[in-house]
Amino acid sequence: MSEKSKQAAKSKSKKTSSYVPIDSPIDRLHPMIKIYAIFCLGIGCAVFPFLWLAYSVVVFLFFVAWKAKMLTKFAGFITAFAIPITVMLLFIQGLYSPKNVTILADFGFAKLGLEGVLYTFKTVGTLLVFLGSFYLMTTTTYPGKLVTAMQDAGLNPKAGYLVLASLNVVPQIQRRIAVIQEAQTARGVEVTGKLKTRFTAFLPIIGPTVMSSLIDVQERGMTLEIRGFGAKGVKPSSLTELNVSPAEKAIKRVLVTFLILCIAFAFSWAIFTRVR
Amino acid sequence: MKIEVQDLIHTYPSGETALNGISLVIEGTTPVAVAGQNGSGKTTLVKHFNRILSPTKGRVLIDGVSTTERSTAQWAKKIGYVFQNPDDQLFLNSVRKEFEFGPKRTGIPPEKIEKMLPIVADLCGLGDKLEIHPFDLTATEKKFCTIGSVMMIDPNVVIFDEPTCGQDIEGNNRLISIIRYLRNNGKLCITISHDMKFIAKNFERVVVLCKGQVLTDGFCKDVFAKPTILSQSFVSPPPICRVALGMGLKQSVFETEELVGCIVQNMKRRNKK
């Protein structure tokens, strides 16, 4: 494949899903292992009673992002999510949580409580683990490979298509909005500038987006049917073949062990605190 | 109205160069067709005329003013653009409202809108469908609804992107009458099309693009007489023209009567010999 066609393929795949084709060990990893990672790491951190675990996993995710050659993008995503959500939760939980007993600061109109602050950091940490790992999974996994992996694991092809469609829907709508925006500006709708101008441009852009998306869904449904999507009694074949390597099996065992240990520790900790 | 394109280069964010040094001048009211294979840069070129796209290098001047000096919405008053897919444009709940939307946004006085509406509606064949929801129209009618909504802004230039796509004979005839109406009213019409029969019959000038450059530009009669050059952009002259060229006629022929006339003349000449 020439450099130019590679670039074209790259830009095309960028347009149809959030997948970024960069060759890396994380990209090559079996998609089911990545899904295991999301759930094992996420649930593990959610049940674990201390907040250091979640942040250690976030640091580990940064290492994974570095291995996947997308550290900057990942750091940007995490920061863009973490800062506003932390501020918002600190305000709600830190100042007004009913669990607040230990007062850290008194602002007059409200008091900042330690329990609320800890709860905030625990929630943000768990959310970052879930979102960060999910972000890494979607950006490093070719959607076709993901669906094949899920179908190999016993997922119904119809449900598999649903997964694929939901992964593709956001980039597709973004592309459609860009075209609609062009069409409406050509009719005299100003889409940039003052807030009021932008607000009045909302209806001319959202109207065709919703209507054409509905038409698109209807047409997509029909084209899927005529290509035998709903055929019964047939085992569908796939162009993508996936094998789980011994190393991947080991990673899976480590992830499951991590989850079991977290749950076991959470249980013992709950019993221990109650007895005490 | 004068459109000057000077050494225009356009590179998309993906790195693909769609236009590679285009220079041309379009002026007057003679309808101009833009042809060329898929990916030759036709749509990218015309999207520069109302600044939907801005040049990476070079300039596009409208009556001496660079397109980058105004926004697309401001250019809408002068340059109308009809998109290929009507579903990207229609959003109001009646054809009348769609027709009135553009002129209201561009500040056309209500009296002028009222005066123009029946004329444009009749031209588009939607005179008795003004109160219908655009999504209840047929695909052809929807297309004319978008054409009408752009014509209502009364721009000096109207750009059509593949207007013949999916049209039957009636639709094509309606389109021809719209192009004639625009010309008779001092408007410039620029049309992208793959339909060479449609181009040959309705346009005097044709610009053929190939890989982001102008392959050939001139009168239809001259351009279609060069099938070897045209084949570089996978464009072939209309069938009747190919028959005439195959017979060894030197000029391009677009009408049956014209071809018959040439054959009769040739026969007479042979009989004399």
Side-chain angles (χ1 to χ4, degrees):
Chain A
M1 200 190 253
S2 74
E3 199 50 46
K4 207 173 175 184
S5 52
K6 259 186 194 170
Q7 215 172 26
K10 201 172 163 182
S11 64
K12 262 184 193 165
S13 55
K14 242 185 189 176
K15 279 178 196 164
T16 50
S17 78
S18 35
Y19 172 59
V20 186
I22 302 172
D23 187 39
S24 71
I26 310 300
D27 192 295
R28 288 190 294 268
L29 201 64
H30 193 284
M32 279 316 281
I33 304 292
K34 298 183 204 176
I35 293 177
Y36 268 106
I38 298 174
F39 286 103
C40 293
L41 296 177
I43 297 172
C45 294
V47 296
F48 198 73
F50 303 111
L51 54 86
W52 59 262
L53 183 72
Y55 289 93
S56 314
V57 172
V58 172
V59 173
F60 169 71
L61 289 179
F62 269 93
F63 169 74
V64 175
W66 172 69
K67 283 300 258 181
K69 297 171 192 168
M70 49 192 328
L71 186 60
T72 337
K73 272 188 95 177
F74 181 72
F77 172 78
I78 291 288
T79 328
F81 176 77
I83 294 173
I85 200 84
T86 311
V87 171
M88 203 171 75
L89 280 178
L90 262 184
F91 186 77
I92 301 168
Q93 294 292 337
L95 299 180
Y96 301 108
S97 173
K99 288 178 193 161
N100 281 346
V101 182
T102 327
I103 303 303
L104 293 174
D106 194 341
F107 297 114
F109 66 95
K111 288 169 185 166
L112 185 72
L114 177 69
E115 288 75 13
V117 172
L118 285 176
Y119 180 80
T120 298
F121 283 108
K122 176 79 180 46
T123 314
V124 171
T126 312
L127 278 175
L128 286 183
V129 170
F130 265 116
L131 281 172
S133 49
F134 189 76
Y135 176 82
L136 284 174
M137 190 274 284
T138 53
T139 43
T140 62
T141 312
Y142 174 60
K145 223 169 131 182
L146 174 71
V147 173
T148 311
M150 290 170 102
Q151 282 175 9
D152 285 351
L155 185 79
N156 182 312
K158 284 190 180 173
Y161 178 75
L162 208 64
V163 173
L164 198 64
S166 24
L167 285 173
N168 288 341
V169 76
V170 175
Q172 268 169 8
I173 289 184
Q174 278 174 340
R175 211 169 27 166
R176 191 173 287 275
I177 287 179
V179 177
I180 290 166
Q181 198 165 317
E182 283 181 358
Q184 299 300 11
T185 48
R187 286 174 81 184
V189 179
E190 199 70 77
V191 291
T192 51
K194 290 178 194 162
L195 190 68
K196 195 188 159 205
T197 322
R198 284 165 191 255
F199 190 74
T200 45
F202 182 72
L203 186 68
I205 289 172
I206 211 71
T209 309
V210 173
M211 290 307 277
S212 59
S213 297
L214 289 175
I215 293 170
D216 189 46
V217 166
Q218 192 188 19
E219 280 183 8
R220 199 173 285 231
M222 288 192 283
T223 51
L224 279 173
E225 282 311 313
I226 60 165
R227 285 183 290 169
F229 184 70
K232 280 174 191 163
V234 184
K235 194 186 177 295
S237 57
S238 173
L239 276 174
T240 328
E241 269 189 33
L242 293 167
N243 296 311
V244 186
S245 71
E248 285 168 338
K249 279 182 189 161
I251 298 174
K252 189 176 154 184
R253 276 196 292 271
V254 169
L255 286 167
V256 175
T257 317
F258 171 84
L259 179 64
I260 294 170
L261 283 179
C262 286
I263 295 175
F265 183 82
F267 261 113
S268 352
W269 183 255
I271 294 165
F272 172 69
T273 44
R274 197 166 287 177
V275 168
R276 201 171 58 167
Chain B
M1 198 80 185
K2 188 177 182 184
I3 303 174
E4 283 174 88
V5 181
Q6 299 174 345
D7 302 317
L8 179 62
I9 294 176
H10 187 87
T11 307
Y12 282 107
S14 61
E16 182 199 350
T17 301
L19 299 178
N20 202 0
I22 288 195
S23 292
L24 57 97
V25 177
I26 303 173
E27 62 181 325
T29 55
T30 311
V32 179
V34 183
Q37 70 191 111
N38 287 347
S40 60
K42 305 182 294 293
T43 303
T44 310
L45 172 67
V46 297
K47 276 187 176 175
H48 279 83
F49 296 169
N50 61 345
R51 211 207 164 181
I52 290 175
L53 293 176
S54 296
T56 308
K57 272 187 192 162
R59 295 199 300 173
V60 178
L61 305 174
I62 308 290
D63 282 339
V65 180
S66 170
T67 50
T68 50
E69 285 180 25
R70 293 179 198 167
S71 68
T72 306
Q74 285 168 325
W75 280 119
K77 287 178 203 170
K78 285 196 166 189
I79 318 268
Y81 192 117
V82 182
F83 275 69
Q84 220 172 330
N85 184 4
D87 295 333
D88 291 338
Q89 212 172 300
L90 306 173
F91 69 101
L92 289 161
N93 55 15
S94 74
V95 175
R96 180 189 295 278
K97 285 183 183 167
E98 283 292 346
F99 278 7
E100 289 173 345
F101 179 78
K104 279 182 182 169
R105 295 304 292 249
T106 47
I108 292 177
E111 312 82 64
K112 194 177 171 189
I113 298 177
E114 258 178 54
K115 205 177 143 195
M116 280 182 65
L117 201 119
I119 303 170
V120 173
D122 279 344
L123 265 170
C124 295
L126 296 169
D128 53 348
K129 293 187 173 170
L130 286 172
E131 306 312 326
I132 287 180
H133 196 294
F135 279 87
D136 291 331
L137 297 173
T138 63
T140 319
E141 287 169 335
K142 267 189 206 174
K143 185 93 183 176
F144 282 104
C145 184
T146 55
I147 294 176
S149 68
V150 169
M151 282 174 71
M152 282 294 293
I153 305 173
D154 201 24
N156 295 331
V157 180
V158 181
I159 300 166
F160 294 107
D161 194 348
E162 300 270 9
T164 50
C165 193
Q167 297 283 7
D168 55 9
I169 291 181
E170 200 190 332
N172 265 12
N173 288 341
R174 194 173 290 289
L175 217 87
I176 293 166
S177 61
I178 288 174
I179 293 169
R180 278 195 199 133
Y181 170 86
L182 290 170
R183 186 183 189 168
N184 294 339
N185 284 277
K187 314 284 179 192
L188 170 62
C189 171
I190 301 171
T191 303
I192 293 178
S193 185
H194 282 290
D195 186 343
M196 295 305 142
K197 276 202 287 188
F198 178 76
I199 292 181
K201 279 193 176 174
N202 304 293
F203 294 84
E204 281 176 37
R205 182 179 169 190
V206 59
V207 178
V208 183
L209 298 185
C210 177
K211 294 173 187 164
Q213 287 178 320
V214 177
L215 184 68
T216 172
D217 173 8
F219 289 111
C220 276
K221 287 213 175 258
D222 301 330
V223 169
F224 286 131
K226 302 178 226 172
T228 350
I229 296 178
L230 289 180
S231 65
Q232 286 178 43
S233 192
F234 299 95
V235 169
S236 61
I240 195 159
C241 189
R242 293 209 300 271
V243 171
L245 292 170
M247 281 170 62
L249 294 182
K250 290 209 174 113
Q251 81 270 34
S252 310
V253 170
F254 302 133
E255 300 287 344
T256 318
E257 297 75 32
E258 230 181 324
L259 182 67
V260 172
C262 290
I263 295 170
V264 171
Q265 261 186 357
N266 271 11
M267 281 168 69
K268 277 180 188 169
R269 236 179 271 154
R270 270 189 203 171
N271 287 343
K272 272 182 193 173
K273 281 177 192 172

